[in-house]
Amino acid sequence: MSSPGSRRGAEPDPADLRARLMALPPDKRMTVVGRLSVVQQRGLNEHWPFWAHDGQHMPTGAWRVWIMQAGRGWGKTRAGAEWVSEVARQYPGARIALVAATIEEGRRVMVEGDSGILAIRRGGEEVDWRRDRNELVFASQARAFVYSAERPESLRGPQHDAAWCDELAKWRYGEAAWSNLLLGLRLGETPQVVVTTTPKPAPLMRQVLAMKKRTLTGGSTRANVHLPDSFVADIEEQYAGTRLGRQELDGELIEDREGALWTRAMLDGCLADDVPTLVRVVVGVDPPASAGGDACGIVAAGLDADGVAYVLEDASVAGLSPDGWARAVAECAARVGADRVIAEKNQGGDMVETVLRGAEAALPVRLVHASRGKLARAEPVAAEYERGKVRHVRGLAALEDELCGMVTGGVYAGPGRSPDRADALVWAVTELLLGKRRGKAGVRGL
């Protein structure tokens, strides 16, 4: 028996069509879409759940604030516009606030943009854009009003059922605008706010992320499969491995800690696209504190003829037995052609050398004793970065996160329990640049 959609003159069921399309490879999917009738194509194009990717679907549960914190091109504007349009359909007569960094950005992006409210109307639904009044009137008689965060007082007084806040992290007077908005968000039974933003370390971002009844979604630029491959490739080539890339492309909120020995700007400034001929290469090792599989920091670095150190690789491992992490050290040393492995002796004493020799008998190992704590011996190495004497290859995000968590005064505020990767780097760079001043760095060769 044939399906209803296969009969001459009958339209296929939209849900069945979507399911069948998604099961096809991308190239065949586009061929099928090209053969659909105009009515079918329009219906498919306007069905937002079909196109939305993870993070763009409205969360379930009792949330008051939905934060979409994501990279450029992820689809934040489209998701925000779709949510506002759905609120207008579901709640006739609703009052909705559209808050942007400026009035012009609210008009140009949220309302008139390629992914704005006017562009995503379904079936030609009526939306009256009264630009001179910064007001949208939907077919349901719901109304949306454009506000500027540069004028927080304009949000003092008006009441709303819902709000969409775009690029919150760049609001000039963010905290005042946000407070006035929330105080007026008191219509309806469950007023809600959607925030779409590329993250930046701003006080308001921290405040909103700390709110109760908030939900967070997001992702990287790569999540949007509708972006041209050439665009993604170009921006990744330019920004991958940098703080700006992690913020603008990956949607990560990256902050500098007060008193940090390393800052994001410092690390961005030491990135190297090319590594010159090296006269020495070493591997620094921070062995696990126990045989139970704690993290083992393994970082390779080299020295060029001008006395500049290059951090080449972070080969750190976790959850391995002594034999496992020793093999990882030996493999790293072989990859980079290391002439020396510098390993801390404190954790396990001569056992460290025995384990390393067991992995590779010819491994050139030198044990060092740490007479001061990790953070204290990191300070002179951080000073070498400030002098421009250390460069990094790209792709060392986990290591750099630990470096930025090392704070003056003996406090570690980075990811994980201990800066094992960072400590391995300190041993390697100390050997390359501070060998003659080892006493000042709290290191004694054995």
Side-chain angles (χ1 to χ4, degrees):
M1 182 181 296
S2 62
S3 65
S6 65
R7 293 195 301 270
R8 185 176 181 82
E11 297 287 353
D13 177 69
D16 179 58
L17 176 61
R18 288 189 293 274
R20 289 160 57 191
L21 276 174
M22 292 306 292
L24 295 174
D27 56 339
K28 292 185 178 179
R29 190 183 310 158
M30 295 306 296
T31 300
V32 172
V33 170
R35 294 173 179 171
L36 297 177
S37 69
V38 174
V39 173
Q40 291 170 340
Q41 289 181 356
R42 183 183 299 123
L44 182 63
N45 185 58
E46 294 176 351
H47 188 73
W48 169 238
F50 178 80
W51 299 106
H53 56 70
D54 290 344
Q56 290 180 311
H57 292 284
M58 186 174 70
T60 58
W63 55 271
R64 178 168 172 78
V65 179
W66 172 18
I67 307 163
M68 280 180 270
Q69 175 182 295
R72 300 281 187 93
W74 178 85
K76 302 182 293 295
T77 303
R78 174 69 186 269
E82 290 284 356
W83 180 78
V84 167
S85 296
E86 190 61 28
V87 169
R89 295 184 195 100
Q90 295 294 324
Y91 301 96
R95 295 176 61 88
I96 307 165
L98 307 176
V99 190
T102 66
I103 284 290
E104 180 55 31
E105 288 189 19
R107 292 169 174 168
R108 178 170 50 84
V109 177
M110 303 174 80
V111 178
E112 302 170 349
D114 292 340
S115 298
I117 293 171
L118 295 179
I120 55 96
R121 290 177 289 180
R122 298 181 189 173
E125 62 186 353
E126 293 291 331
V127 180
D128 183 11
W129 171 221
R130 302 173 182 178
R131 200 175 196 276
D132 58 330
R133 298 171 57 179
N134 296 311
E135 178 183 353
L136 281 163
V137 181
F138 295 87
S140 67
Q141 294 308 299
R143 294 171 180 261
F145 307 90
V146 181
Y147 297 95
S148 169
E150 288 193 329
R151 298 180 57 205
E153 294 302 311
S154 66
L155 286 160
R156 182 187 294 274
Q159 301 180 87
H160 303 99
D161 298 84
W164 171 22
C165 301
D166 191 46
E167 294 298 351
L168 183 89
K170 62 183 284 188
W171 287 7
R172 186 176 179 186
Y173 302 110
E175 293 172 85
W178 179 257
S179 296
N180 286 342
L181 172 68
L182 289 190
L183 289 171
L185 201 67
R186 53 182 181 259
L187 297 180
E189 295 182 4
T190 56
Q192 293 178 317
V193 185
V194 164
V195 174
T196 53
T197 189
T198 303
K200 290 184 180 178
L204 180 57
M205 280 297 300
R206 290 191 288 271
Q207 176 185 330
V208 175
L209 288 168
M211 290 182 66
K212 296 181 179 179
K213 291 188 177 180
R214 67 88 174 151
T215 186
L216 176 67
T217 65
S220 74
T221 301
R222 304 172 199 84
N224 189 347
V225 298
H226 308 297
L227 292 175
D229 292 339
S230 58
F231 168 77
V232 177
D234 287 346
I235 61 174
E236 286 191 339
E237 180 180 357
Q238 185 171 359
Y239 297 110
T242 67
R243 173 196 56 81
L244 186 63
R246 294 176 63 187
Q247 172 182 289
E248 299 294 320
L249 306 182
D250 296 331
E252 294 185 42
L253 181 61
I254 302 175
E255 300 186 79
D256 283 327
R257 293 172 173 82
E258 186 175 355
L261 296 178
W262 281 265
T263 66
R264 301 291 176 178
M266 181 194 300
L267 294 174
D268 277 355
C270 76
L271 284 176
D273 290 320
D274 299 301
V275 177
T277 300
L278 302 174
V279 298
R280 281 202 70 192
V281 177
V282 301
V283 174
V285 181
D286 179 36
S290 70
D294 289 342
C296 177
I298 307 169
V299 173
L303 189 70
D304 73 3
D306 295 324
V308 176
Y310 286 78
V311 181
L312 307 172
E313 180 178 343
D314 175 12
S316 304
V317 294
L320 298 184
S321 66
D323 286 343
W325 61 256
R327 282 195 300 272
V329 172
E331 290 167 359
C332 177
R335 278 194 303 273
V336 299
D339 51 76
R340 185 77 62 180
V341 171
I342 312 299
E344 183 181 335
K345 182 180 180 181
N346 297 45
Q347 305 293 353
D350 293 332
M351 182 273 290
V352 172
E353 183 172 13
T354 301
V355 170
L356 289 171
R357 299 281 190 206
E360 175 54 61
L363 198 64
V365 179
R366 187 168 75 81
L367 300 183
V368 288
H369 177 78
S371 59
R372 301 170 69 186
K374 293 176 188 274
L375 290 153
R377 62 178 177 267
E379 291 184 6
V381 173
E384 294 300 307
Y385 277 77
E386 292 178 347
R387 293 175 57 215
K389 301 295 287 183
V390 187
R391 307 295 300 276
H392 281 204
V393 301
R394 294 177 182 266
L396 302 175
L399 169 61
E400 291 169 353
D401 285 347
E402 287 193 1
L403 291 174
C404 291
M406 302 185 84
V407 180
T408 302
V411 177
Y412 174 62
R417 296 182 300 173
S418 176
D420 306 296
R421 301 169 190 267
D423 201 35
L425 174 142
V426 167
W427 288 122
V429 175
T430 296
E431 174 68 18
L432 295 173
L433 298 180
L434 302 171
K436 294 181 180 179
R437 291 176 279 162
R438 218 169 266 127
K440 294 182 180 180
V443 178
R444 183 175 69 253
L446 298 179

